[in-house]
Amino acid sequence: MSQSKSSGSNLRQRVKVQHVIGRSADDPDQRRDGAQTLHQVRDSLLHTGTGFDNYRGLLNWLLLLLVLSNSRLALDNLIKYGILIDPVSWMSVFWADPYRWPCTILILMTAIFVQLVFYVEVAMAKGYLSAFVCGTLQRLQLLNLLVFPSVVVNVVTPNPFGAMLAMLVYTVMFMKLWSFTDVNRWCRQTQKKLPKEKSKKKANQERDSSPAEGDAAVDSKGHPLVQYPANLNIWNLWYFIVAPTLCYELNFPRSPRIRKRFLFRRMFEVVLLGNVLLGLGQQWLVPTIMNSVVPFKEMSYSRMVERILKLAIPNHLLWLVFFYWFFHSFLNVTGEILRFGDRQFYEDWWNAGSMERFWSTWNIPVHKFARRHIYQPLIESGASRTAAMVVVFLVSAFFHEFLVSVPLCMFRAWAFTGMVFQIPTGFFCLYVLHGGNWGNVVMWLSLILGQPIAALMYVHDYLILNGMLESGTNSTATPVS
């Protein structure tokens, strides 16, 4: 009897041990004799060869550190400067000084350039102008889209922020009309290659605006497609002007309906994040920039580095919020209202292993324009892939500098230099680091550190040029840590 109790007790102990250890009591590793084996050939868990990839706990830890560190910076900002957010001052930029209104007039005047380009294309389609005259007039008008606002801004010297918005609108209009004229020229070249009878038949159908049944081109849903020169009507052009794309097509993909809930969510994000951008810029970015100017003037290198690192966090945070606000919220609002079907405004640029991959994924509309109207024509003309890519970067560098130097009424080439520096950085990522994780690290570093350096250089030069640094204009940023 006692023996059975003893055996039952031993069995319960073995079950308990098995439950605690989680392994069978008959496992040879658990035997307490000379044959016991506790060790085997295996790598440490963090070794890349183990295949272990569950770092969720470390990611949570990093996120907590990020939140705590930035909370400390936000609290430090409030203690030093108090609440600087003033919504009234945002609007005073427009109504305080009549010399700031020319930026609004400049933006409205873009309609004149659109109409002039349209009428030249219509005249060309009707045979009133030769191809050479049409091409010359269109190139002059495109050039005027960049020269005219630059002259006005430098003569009137309006508020830099309003001028920057106006120059951005003119740059977008320049690329849109460039695409519009190119596509119509390609359509004319294609028509010349068609047999004369077929071309004459198509011209008669399009002139009468009543294509013959069974001969009109249709899309996948059976809807008739617009063909040249039937696309040359003012509504077709203005739809393209306001559409969230830079590349013209005769027939854009259209969504079947407007999704009201989706539209209201994106509109709410536009309003909310727009105010967040203005508030964070006024509360966090401006004081940090103003307190960073003096070390640059005194050429105190240690303080310069410290200020760049301090500015990097708010600057990068605002850049990320701006990316979501513009490329996801604002462009989707525009696309939804117009039922514009192609909503690929960005790809997973945050995973880019090189600068080339980043620039081709973070701004899809510009990338498509550069590839279609700059890169591909250069390749077709016999240029190498590397030479064409360098030209694209140089054109991009020019427009980055154009959008900063003209509104500030000064030329310093910091933005141009930063963009040109992307070329060797891109080659370094591709051919030395071969992309991957280290290429992604270089990409993030260039974004986090490159932008604040350029911003500080422009602010420093602008304040010096306008005599604002000596007069103590930076009163909102008096406390210096």
Side-chain angles (χ1 to χ4, degrees):
M1 193 72 175
S2 61
Q3 186 176 2
S4 63
K5 288 183 179 180
S6 175
S7 61
S9 176
N10 292 335
L11 178 61
R12 285 193 297 271
Q13 290 179 359
R14 291 183 63 188
V15 172
K16 185 176 181 180
V17 169
Q18 179 180 349
H19 175 73
V20 173
I21 298 179
R23 302 180 67 176
S24 173
D26 295 331
D27 194 322
D29 287 353
Q30 302 298 320
R31 293 201 302 258
R32 306 179 68 177
D33 54 22
Q36 180 182 9
T37 56
L38 296 176
H39 305 287
Q40 55 182 296
V41 177
R42 50 192 169 189
D43 290 318
S44 298
L45 189 64
L46 296 180
H47 187 269
T48 55
T50 61
F52 179 80
D53 58 358
N54 185 6
Y55 297 101
R56 184 179 59 183
L58 291 178
L59 179 61
N60 293 335
W61 170 68
L62 289 174
L63 289 175
L64 284 173
L65 286 181
L66 182 64
V67 170
L68 291 174
S69 61
N70 283 281
S71 298
R72 203 278 306 173
L73 290 175
L75 182 60
D76 180 65
N77 178 274
L78 289 174
I79 293 174
K80 285 183 180 179
Y81 308 111
I83 298 178
L84 300 177
I85 299 175
D86 183 10
V88 177
S89 65
W90 302 342
M91 299 305 299
S92 66
V93 171
F94 298 97
W95 69 53
D97 189 344
Y99 280 101
R100 291 165 180 171
W101 283 99
C103 296
T104 305
I105 299 174
L106 266 179
I107 293 174
L108 294 176
M109 288 183 66
T110 56
I112 298 176
F113 293 94
V114 173
Q115 295 296 119
L116 289 176
V117 169
F118 171 74
Y119 289 136
V120 171
E121 287 294 333
V122 171
M124 176 63 193
K126 292 182 177 181
Y128 299 151
L129 298 175
S130 65
F132 174 78
V133 173
C134 176
T136 302
L137 289 175
Q138 299 295 47
R139 289 182 179 88
L140 289 175
Q141 292 190 91
L142 291 176
L143 180 63
N144 199 24
L145 270 169
L146 301 180
V147 174
F148 173 72
S150 302
V151 173
V152 172
V153 168
N154 277 272
V155 170
V156 180
T157 60
N159 178 273
F161 295 103
M164 194 171 295
L165 177 60
M167 300 310 299
L168 180 61
V169 171
Y170 270 84
T171 300
V172 170
M173 206 63 63
F174 170 82
M175 291 190 285
K176 281 178 175 282
L177 294 180
W178 179 353
S179 180
F180 178 74
T181 56
D182 268 3
V183 171
N184 283 291
R185 176 169 53 84
W186 296 337
C187 289
R188 290 192 293 269
Q189 293 173 352
T190 302
Q191 280 193 349
K192 289 181 180 179
K193 297 178 182 178
L194 297 175
K196 293 183 179 180
E197 296 180 0
K198 187 175 181 181
S199 178
K200 183 177 179 180
K201 181 180 179 182
K202 179 185 292 186
N204 292 333
Q205 292 174 358
E206 291 172 342
R207 184 168 54 250
D208 298 335
S209 300
S210 57
E213 292 184 5
D215 195 34
V218 296
D219 61 12
S220 58
K221 296 182 179 180
H223 299 149
L225 295 176
V226 176
Q227 297 183 0
Y228 183 85
N231 66 302
L232 294 178
N233 66 79
I234 199 64
W235 299 111
N236 180 284
L237 175 57
W238 275 103
Y239 178 87
F240 166 61
I241 292 299
V242 297
T245 181
L246 297 175
C247 293
Y248 177 72
E249 291 182 4
L250 275 66
N251 300 274
F252 288 107
R254 305 290 293 273
S255 55
R257 62 183 180 85
I258 296 177
R259 299 168 293 178
K260 294 181 180 179
R261 293 182 61 182
F262 176 85
L263 176 61
F264 289 147
R265 286 198 299 267
R266 300 289 84 81
M267 292 177 67
F268 175 75
E269 290 174 354
V270 168
V271 176
L272 176 64
L273 294 180
N275 283 276
V276 168
L277 284 170
L278 293 172
L280 287 179
Q282 199 173 22
Q283 178 69 43
W284 198 357
L285 194 64
V286 172
T288 306
I289 289 178
M290 299 305 293
N291 280 336
S292 304
V293 172
V294 175
F296 274 78
K297 180 184 178 183
E298 298 175 350
M299 297 303 292
S300 175
Y301 295 106
S302 59
R303 293 184 62 199
M304 287 166 57
V305 172
E306 185 268 337
R307 290 295 162 178
I308 290 173
L309 295 176
K310 188 173 183 179
L311 180 61
I313 294 177
N315 176 83
H316 191 64
L317 179 62
L318 261 70
W319 183 82
L320 290 175
V321 174
F322 171 80
F323 166 80
Y324 186 91
W325 174 81
F326 183 76
F327 286 97
H328 186 74
S329 301
F330 180 77
L331 292 184
N332 266 298
V333 167
T334 307
E336 196 67 28
I337 293 174
L338 298 175
R339 290 174 50 213
F340 186 80
D342 188 0
R343 307 293 177 84
Q344 190 186 35
F345 305 125
Y346 56 90
E347 293 183 7
D348 59 333
W349 56 265
W350 46 88
N351 293 324
S354 65
M355 299 309 304
E356 180 186 13
R357 174 65 180 169
F358 166 77
W359 288 111
S360 64
T361 53
W362 97 277
N363 191 337
I364 294 297
V366 170
H367 169 68
K368 287 181 178 179
F369 173 87
R371 185 173 185 84
R372 184 196 203 189
H373 296 282
I374 303 176
Y375 180 86
Q376 199 62 39
L378 288 173
I379 295 295
E380 293 174 358
S381 65
S384 65
R385 181 179 178 274
T386 301
M389 185 179 67
V390 170
V391 171
V392 169
F393 267 98
L394 291 176
V395 173
S396 178
F398 164 78
F399 280 105
H400 277 76
E401 185 63 41
F402 177 77
L403 290 173
V404 180
S405 289
V406 173
L408 295 179
C409 298
M410 66 179 192
F411 178 74
R412 292 297 184 271
W414 299 119
F416 183 87
T417 304
M419 283 298 300
V420 170
F421 185 72
Q422 300 285 321
I423 299 175
T425 305
F427 288 138
F428 177 76
C429 292
L430 281 175
Y431 300 112
V432 177
L433 301 178
H434 304 289
N437 290 332
W438 285 111
N440 184 256
V441 169
V442 173
M443 182 272 293
W444 279 112
L445 279 176
S446 67
L447 293 178
I448 295 173
L449 297 180
Q451 293 177 0
I453 292 175
L456 285 175
M457 298 304 293
Y458 277 111
V459 171
H460 170 267
D461 292 351
Y462 181 79
L463 295 180
I464 293 294
L465 185 65
N466 291 274
M468 301 169 66
L469 192 61
E470 292 80 1
S471 59
T473 309
N474 55 336
S475 57
T476 59
T478 304
V480 178
S481 60

